[in-house]
Amino acid sequence: MVKEPVELGTVQETLLIPLYGRARDARSRNPVLGDQKAVELVERIDYDFSTFTGPSLAGSVLRTAIFDGWVSRFLREHPAGTVVELGSGLNTRSDRLDNGRARWFDLDLPDSIALRRKFFDDTDRATMIAGSVLDVDWFDQVADAPGPYLFVSEAVLLYLPEHEVRTAVRQLGERFPGSWLSFDTGGRAMMGNQDRNPVFKTLSARMRWVCDDPASIEAWGLRLLDSRTFATPQPEVARGWPHRFRYGMPLLARLAPPLVNTYAMNLYTLR
Ligand SMILES: C[S@@+](CC[C@H](N)C(=O)[O-])C[C@H]1O[C@@H](n2cnc3c(N)ncnc32)[C@H](O)[C@@H]1O
């Protein structure tokens, strides 16, 4: 099999980390997500995934499970609504959660979308868009789809400087008020540790936006609906986790609080 080469920018290359995390999870005895498509993609991409090591691989799987929980909740409440992934990378959320009625958009930078297009196709309900979370020219395309809208930006905004995150939030709020927006935030303890994180050993990208308290950014035009850490996932999500995570994460949070509590997954409404 001829493998697909990877030609990605510095931050874009980080999309391979959660992909590999999900593939390893799927190959494990007791998986969280069981994402077989990730296994297939890792086999088809020409990249030395073995350079990615450490707890962030499992962390990216738990993070995805928490975001999946909110997308499932949104689709239960709005089965014909629209889910927009901002910085989708090679995620496979719609494969896991599609209900046969929802509309899906996957937005990412052009080189990431070019790679995504090698493995995924547009359908009548799923559309890939090459663009930036900082652009507004794709808003019309999304607004043509039926609301309500859930925007999901998983492990993306962290890589932007704070003023750009603020711009993205403001622009979305102006055009899609009342929509749900979910994204993760990292506090100082996590950000300051990146150079020691083995998953970044061979990558030069680094996360930039420090946010110690997800509620502190409500003044940007957000209302915090829910906030979770790996130790406090939604109960229905935790039920799907193997014991090592379900009981191990709360224990780790008690033994070493900054390790777990500094990283939050958050659900907001845009005001
Ligand atoms: C760590 S990956 C996460 C990918 C995906 N959300 C996941 O969880 O598998 C970061 C992603 O953010 C994307 N990204 C970075 N800057 C972006 C921007 N300005 N607009 C859209 N996507 C961006 C990258 O291309 C990459 O796919």
Side-chain angles (χ1 to χ4, degrees):
M1 179 177 58
V2 181
K3 294 195 173 198
E4 293 291 346
V6 171
E7 286 158 30
L8 292 171
T10 309
V11 174
Q12 293 88 314
E13 193 175 347
T14 62
L15 66 83
L16 299 168
I17 304 170
L19 175 71
Y20 187 53
R22 294 197 311 278
R24 283 206 347 173
D25 169 66
R27 290 189 196 122
S28 71
R29 202 151 38 95
N30 206 352
V32 175
L33 299 170
D35 184 350
Q36 292 301 330
K37 175 101 178 175
V39 176
E40 180 203 326
L41 297 195
V42 162
E43 283 166 5
R44 288 176 60 190
I45 292 175
D46 189 10
Y47 191 84
D48 183 7
F49 287 95
S50 69
T51 58
F52 296 148
T53 56
S56 292
L57 292 172
S60 67
V61 171
L62 301 183
R63 175 183 75 214
T64 294
I66 290 174
F67 281 102
D68 276 9
W70 286 322
V71 176
S72 298
R73 176 178 152 195
F74 175 80
L75 293 177
R76 272 196 308 277
E77 294 179 21
H78 311 288
T82 295
V83 181
V84 186
E85 289 280 345
L86 303 173
S88 57
L90 290 174
N91 90 45
T92 46
R93 191 155 1 248
S94 58
D95 292 23
R96 276 191 301 283
L97 305 181
D98 184 41
N99 60 4
R101 291 174 64 192
R103 188 80 173 81
W104 298 84
F105 289 95
D106 285 295
L107 172 107
D108 207 313
L109 297 171
D111 46 353
S112 297
I113 287 292
L115 182 64
R116 189 176 177 88
R117 283 197 183 282
K118 296 191 172 153
F119 308 110
F120 296 85
D121 295 316
D122 282 348
T123 69
D124 53 344
R125 292 187 296 105
T127 308
M128 287 173 264
I129 305 176
S132 169
V133 69
L134 297 166
D135 295 338
V136 295
D137 53 359
W138 50 268
F139 280 8
D140 285 346
Q141 200 177 346
V142 169
D144 278 347
Y149 306 95
L150 165 58
F151 296 89
V152 187
S153 200
E154 179 179 344
V156 178
L157 302 182
L158 298 166
Y159 289 94
L160 304 178
E162 179 173 308
H163 72 273
E164 291 189 356
V165 181
R166 214 172 164 144
T167 298
V169 168
R170 179 178 50 75
Q171 292 175 165
L172 284 167
E174 283 168 3
R175 185 63 192 269
F176 299 98
S179 299
W180 289 8
L181 170 63
S182 59
F183 56 85
D184 39 350
T185 47
R188 222 164 296 270
M190 172 173 130
M191 295 299 173
N193 201 37
Q194 292 182 75
D195 288 341
R196 287 186 291 279
N197 184 338
V199 87
F200 284 124
K201 200 174 54 197
T202 57
L203 299 181
S204 50
R206 292 292 179 271
M207 297 175 278
R208 300 166 75 184
W209 174 39
V210 179
C211 176
D212 282 309
D213 175 8
S216 69
I217 58 170
E218 285 193 316
W220 296 5
L222 296 167
R223 189 161 66 85
L224 186 61
L225 295 181
D226 198 5
S227 183
R228 303 280 167 179
T229 68
F230 294 151
T232 60
Q234 306 92 316
E236 70 276 15
V237 170
R239 278 195 287 277
W241 288 7
H243 287 187
R244 68 183 186 282
F245 297 129
R246 186 171 174 184
Y247 302 111
M249 283 297 167
L251 182 65
L252 186 61
R254 278 205 297 280
L255 296 175
L259 271 186
V260 179
N261 299 341
T262 185
Y263 186 43
M265 277 57 49
N266 314 294
L267 177 65
Y268 299 90
T269 45
L270 288 160
R271 285 198 272 122

